[in-house]
Amino acid sequence: MDHLFFVVLNIIGTFMFAVSGVSVAISKDYDLFGIAVLGFATAIGGGTLRDMMLGVGPVSWMSDYATIITVLVAIIVSSLFLGYIHKLGWWNIVFDGAGLGVFTLVGMQKGIDHGLSPLVCVLLGTITGAGGGVIRDVLSGERPMLFQKELYASVSIAGGAFYFLLRALASDRLTWHWQAVACIVFIVALRVIAVRFNWSLPRIRAHRSG
Amino acid sequence: MDHLFFVVLNIIGTFMFAVSGVSVAISKDYDLFGIAVLGFATAIGGGTLRDMMLGVGPVSWMSDYATIITVLVAIIVSSLFLGYIHKLGWWNIVFDGAGLGVFTLVGMQKGIDHGLSPLVCVLLGTITGAGGGVIRDVLSGERPMLFQKELYASVSIAGGAFYFLLRALASDRLTWHWQAVACIVFIVALRVIAVRFNWSLPRIRAHRSG
Amino acid sequence: MDHLFFVVLNIIGTFMFAVSGVSVAISKDYDLFGIAVLGFATAIGGGTLRDMMLGVGPVSWMSDYATIITVLVAIIVSSLFLGYIHKLGWWNIVFDGAGLGVFTLVGMQKGIDHGLSPLVCVLLGTITGAGGGVIRDVLSGERPMLFQKELYASVSIAGGAFYFLLRALASDRLTWHWQAVACIVFIVALRVIAVRFNWSLPRIRAHRSG
């Protein structure tokens, strides 16, 4: 495994998710500390949950300066330039999708490193990718985004399936780096398309009589 | 310890709790993915919390196909036949009580295997039995059932005490299997009786002057 | 490290936080079991989260009778004498501040024992000190205190910084015990002053245009 490649991916995902937490905290009029906490929890929440479930401790951000420094920089930058960030409009979906894609990939790879089955690896990827947002929502008293209309975590699951498909079919033609990049691009593209066309999954009507 | 006996118990408890999560998700009009997430989180939440607290990782469902397959089957079956499940009426209390009893027992036994004290084992049993429901309630924005009127987790604690009593008094007359079955039956029966007769624990009036 | 010193500190912090959980539960009219659960979760929540993040299991209260017995005593005492406890008025801020100070110190020391960096140790101290209260708030359906107006977790962070400053500057003049006591007194004093003078951190206005 290429360590530097992973470090860079982790920094990108961490930055994107910290910005998302800061953005929610400011919209709720939290103080500076609340902003920092929500940025931090969103950025490291999914990976922390994943590492605790894997029994890997201390969890990764504790022994890894890059993550903490990235979170601090992201909190400061996004607090100062939130107006500009909001003006980016559609790009925010792309950036957040990049965070989701990167963390999904990192989570899956950790599962593979632990010798877990592909299904469990995909779930670990989704927990890593969507877990931070769920923690952000629970802490800030929102209904978790998992249960909102737009596709989000399902995009991560689809991306995970795509990644294992690539590994099975194309591992002799694509290096690991390109498989990873393809998986992330797939997730970003699927997320953007899902938001653009307002895709949603079907429901089951309650109280129906079988 | 009889491994197969445990596997079967775990499958029963997992199935019951997945159905309970699906049922809540459908009543809240979640989409298919939300239904799957809530079924999954309810079924594996308590055991995941228990394993993370014990420092046992990867947590049990990650290296155990039976759990994941059971959850998937339970989600599909209960999504398709929810109408029939609702018609079961009182049997739902029995089935959910069986899940509570089984998970309480499995949690206690994990504590015993780690050499923990009986009091801690009973708490671990309750965390395993009631934890999934608490996570289901927090994720779906409900006040956790722990704090609702009916006896639920207290039934698990009573069942835990009963189990250690049995171990102390009857271990020469009852094999481990029968002790386990007696503990589960005790919990199911106490739960059904508590719901039937609307049992509740006393409260303490706030602002009283000592 | 002086084991007894730590045990005594832990008992003090555990007692204070259990009382705080019981007090919230009674004000919400929970039954006896709900009171016990909220007291227990508030008292052990922060340390449990810390140990799970550190990958230390079974978490500390499981192999430590002192904590469980302290929680039980605190639940009984505070249930019986809640009227008197409310009459203590300002002293409640002091007692809760003592819990925060003690748990912050214990969390930092665990980080130091694991060879983690000072920044991570301060965060671990804050997670230990403020985590129980966050879990109490999430379980009881409140907006977590982290995001309320008064300084709370920020006091823990300031106390952590003060502790590492003391270690750097005064380790040849002050024994470890006195550094610990100074850190706890600093946190209690800062917390009382923050509440007394209604200190708060600045906010960032939402929707501003950069």
Side-chain angles (χ1 to χ4, degrees):
Chain A
M1 205 52 52
D2 186 333
H3 186 63
L4 183 65
F5 184 69
F6 252 123
V7 169
V8 172
L9 285 184
N10 244 320
I11 287 177
I12 295 172
T14 302
F15 191 92
M16 298 307 170
F17 278 166
V19 170
S20 131
V22 166
S23 178
V24 168
I26 291 181
S27 79
K28 285 183 169 277
D29 201 31
Y30 288 179
D31 66 21
L32 284 182
F33 180 78
I35 292 169
V37 167
L38 216 59
F40 188 70
T42 310
I44 60 108
T48 299
L49 206 53
R50 175 201 64 217
D51 287 350
M52 293 194 310
M53 284 183 175
L54 284 172
V56 176
V59 298
S60 54
W61 61 266
M62 288 192 181
S63 41
D64 165 21
Y65 271 102
T67 304
I68 290 201
I69 292 170
T70 305
V71 171
L72 291 177
V73 170
I75 289 170
I76 293 168
V77 167
S78 58
S79 297
L80 289 176
F81 301 109
L82 192 71
Y84 291 112
I85 290 174
H86 281 159
K87 279 187 192 148
L88 291 174
W90 264 89
W91 285 105
N92 284 307
I93 305 288
V94 177
F95 291 148
D96 186 80
L100 181 65
V102 163
F103 275 11
T104 299
L105 184 83
V106 173
M108 285 193 293
Q109 198 56 46
K110 278 232 179 178
I112 294 169
D113 293 348
H114 275 77
L116 300 172
S117 66
L119 181 55
V120 172
C121 290
V122 171
L123 290 174
L124 263 182
T126 304
I127 288 168
T128 311
V134 172
I135 291 171
R136 176 197 65 209
D137 294 342
V138 168
L139 284 181
S140 63
E142 295 289 313
R143 183 183 173 194
M145 59 166 184
L146 282 181
F147 307 121
Q148 288 165 359
K149 216 170 49 182
E150 277 162 10
L151 300 190
Y152 190 86
S154 1
V155 167
S156 160
I157 288 189
F162 177 75
Y163 182 60
F164 276 95
L165 208 73
L166 266 189
R167 279 169 63 94
L169 301 180
S171 57
D172 49 344
R173 269 158 294 169
L174 285 177
T175 64
W176 179 81
H177 291 82
W178 286 110
Q179 292 174 32
V181 169
C183 166
I184 294 170
V185 169
F186 178 92
I187 288 175
V188 175
L190 191 59
R191 170 77 181 138
V192 167
I193 293 171
V195 174
R196 174 69 186 77
F197 294 101
N198 211 5
W199 279 358
S200 60
L201 290 172
R203 286 168 163 59
I204 295 176
R205 208 170 285 262
H207 308 302
R208 84 185 171 155
S209 321
Chain B
M1 205 51 51
D2 186 333
H3 187 61
L4 182 66
F5 184 70
F6 251 123
V7 169
V8 172
L9 285 184
N10 244 321
I11 288 177
I12 295 173
T14 301
F15 192 91
M16 299 305 168
F17 279 165
V19 170
S20 131
V22 167
S23 178
V24 169
I26 291 181
S27 78
K28 286 182 168 278
D29 199 30
Y30 288 177
D31 66 22
L32 285 182
F33 180 78
I35 292 169
V37 166
L38 216 59
F40 188 70
T42 308
I44 60 108
T48 300
L49 206 54
R50 174 201 64 215
D51 287 351
M52 293 195 310
M53 284 184 175
L54 283 173
V56 176
V59 298
S60 53
W61 60 267
M62 290 191 178
S63 41
D64 164 23
Y65 272 102
T67 304
I68 291 200
I69 293 171
T70 304
V71 171
L72 291 177
V73 171
I75 290 170
I76 293 167
V77 167
S78 58
S79 297
L80 290 176
F81 302 109
L82 192 71
Y84 292 112
I85 290 175
H86 280 160
K87 279 185 193 150
L88 291 175
W90 264 89
W91 285 104
N92 283 307
I93 306 288
V94 176
F95 292 149
D96 186 80
L100 181 66
V102 163
F103 275 11
T104 300
L105 184 83
V106 173
M108 284 193 294
Q109 197 57 46
K110 278 233 180 179
I112 293 170
D113 293 349
H114 275 76
L116 299 172
S117 65
L119 181 55
V120 171
C121 290
V122 172
L123 290 174
L124 264 182
T126 305
I127 289 168
T128 311
V134 171
I135 291 171
R136 176 197 65 208
D137 294 342
V138 168
L139 284 180
S140 64
E142 295 289 313
R143 182 184 175 194
M145 58 165 184
L146 281 181
F147 307 122
Q148 287 165 0
K149 219 172 45 181
E150 276 162 11
L151 299 191
Y152 191 86
S154 1
V155 167
S156 159
I157 288 190
F162 177 75
Y163 182 60
F164 276 96
L165 207 72
L166 267 187
R167 280 169 63 92
L169 300 181
S171 55
D172 47 345
R173 269 159 294 169
L174 285 176
T175 65
W176 179 82
H177 292 82
W178 286 110
Q179 293 173 32
V181 169
C183 165
I184 294 170
V185 169
F186 178 92
I187 288 176
V188 175
L190 191 60
R191 171 78 182 135
V192 168
I193 293 171
V195 174
R196 175 67 188 77
F197 293 101
N198 212 4
W199 280 0
S200 61
L201 289 171
R203 288 168 160 62
I204 294 176
R205 208 169 284 264
H207 307 304
R208 82 183 171 155
S209 322
Chain C
M1 203 54 50
D2 186 333
H3 187 61
L4 182 65
F5 185 69
F6 252 122
V7 169
V8 172
L9 285 184
N10 244 321
I11 288 177
I12 295 173
T14 302
F15 192 92
M16 299 306 169
F17 278 166
V19 170
S20 131
V22 167
S23 177
V24 168
I26 291 181
S27 79
K28 287 181 168 278
D29 200 29
Y30 288 179
D31 65 21
L32 284 182
F33 181 77
I35 292 170
V37 166
L38 216 59
F40 188 69
T42 310
I44 61 108
T48 300
L49 206 53
R50 175 202 64 215
D51 287 350
M52 294 194 310
M53 285 184 174
L54 283 173
V56 176
V59 298
S60 53
W61 61 267
M62 289 191 180
S63 41
D64 165 21
Y65 272 103
T67 304
I68 290 200
I69 292 170
T70 304
V71 171
L72 291 178
V73 170
I75 289 170
I76 293 168
V77 167
S78 59
S79 295
L80 290 177
F81 301 110
L82 192 71
Y84 291 113
I85 290 174
H86 280 160
K87 278 186 192 151
L88 290 175
W90 264 89
W91 285 106
N92 284 307
I93 306 288
V94 176
F95 291 148
D96 186 80
L100 181 66
V102 163
F103 275 12
T104 300
L105 184 83
V106 172
M108 285 193 293
Q109 197 57 44
K110 279 233 180 177
I112 294 170
D113 294 349
H114 275 77
L116 300 171
S117 66
L119 181 55
V120 171
C121 291
V122 171
L123 290 175
L124 264 183
T126 304
I127 289 167
T128 311
V134 171
I135 291 171
R136 177 197 63 209
D137 294 343
V138 167
L139 284 181
S140 64
E142 294 289 312
R143 182 183 174 194
M145 58 167 185
L146 281 180
F147 306 122
Q148 287 165 358
K149 219 171 49 180
E150 275 163 13
L151 301 190
Y152 191 87
S154 1
V155 167
S156 159
I157 289 190
F162 177 75
Y163 181 61
F164 276 96
L165 208 74
L166 266 189
R167 280 169 63 93
L169 301 181
S171 55
D172 47 344
R173 269 160 293 168
L174 285 177
T175 64
W176 179 81
H177 292 82
W178 286 109
Q179 292 174 33
V181 169
C183 166
I184 294 170
V185 169
F186 179 91
I187 288 175
V188 175
L190 192 59
R191 171 75 182 139
V192 168
I193 293 171
V195 174
R196 174 68 187 77
F197 294 101
N198 211 2
W199 279 359
S200 61
L201 290 171
R203 286 167 161 62
I204 294 177
R205 208 170 285 263
H207 307 304
R208 81 184 174 155
S209 322

